[in-house]
Amino acid sequence: MATLMLALNPGSFDEVAAVLADSPDVCRTHYGHDSCECAARAVRDVLLAEHPDVFNRLSKRRT
């Protein structure tokens, strides 16, 4: 879940912390490592490749 959230909104450790009921610092430490950042970027790239408008559609749902 956290990797997908970071793929959608890179650097959103506060949101990840809220969902995981943890602190932003712990999430940043755990998910901010290169491997997780790379995984989040890879997920984002795949989502964009398969569904180029996915982020536009998700943004519309939030409002």
Side-chain angles (χ1 to χ4, degrees), residues 9-52:
N9 297 309
S12 62
F13 296 105
D14 292 337
E15 292 178 26
V16 171
V19 170
L20 298 179
D22 214 334
S23 74
D25 289 335
V26 170
C27 291
R28 190 173 291 106
T29 299
H30 185 73
Y31 295 103
H33 295 295
D34 288 341
S35 61
C36 290
E37 286 183 41
C38 290
R41 280 193 213 108
V43 169
R44 182 180 180 87
D45 290 344
V46 169
L47 285 171
L48 286 171
E50 294 296 318
H51 308 281

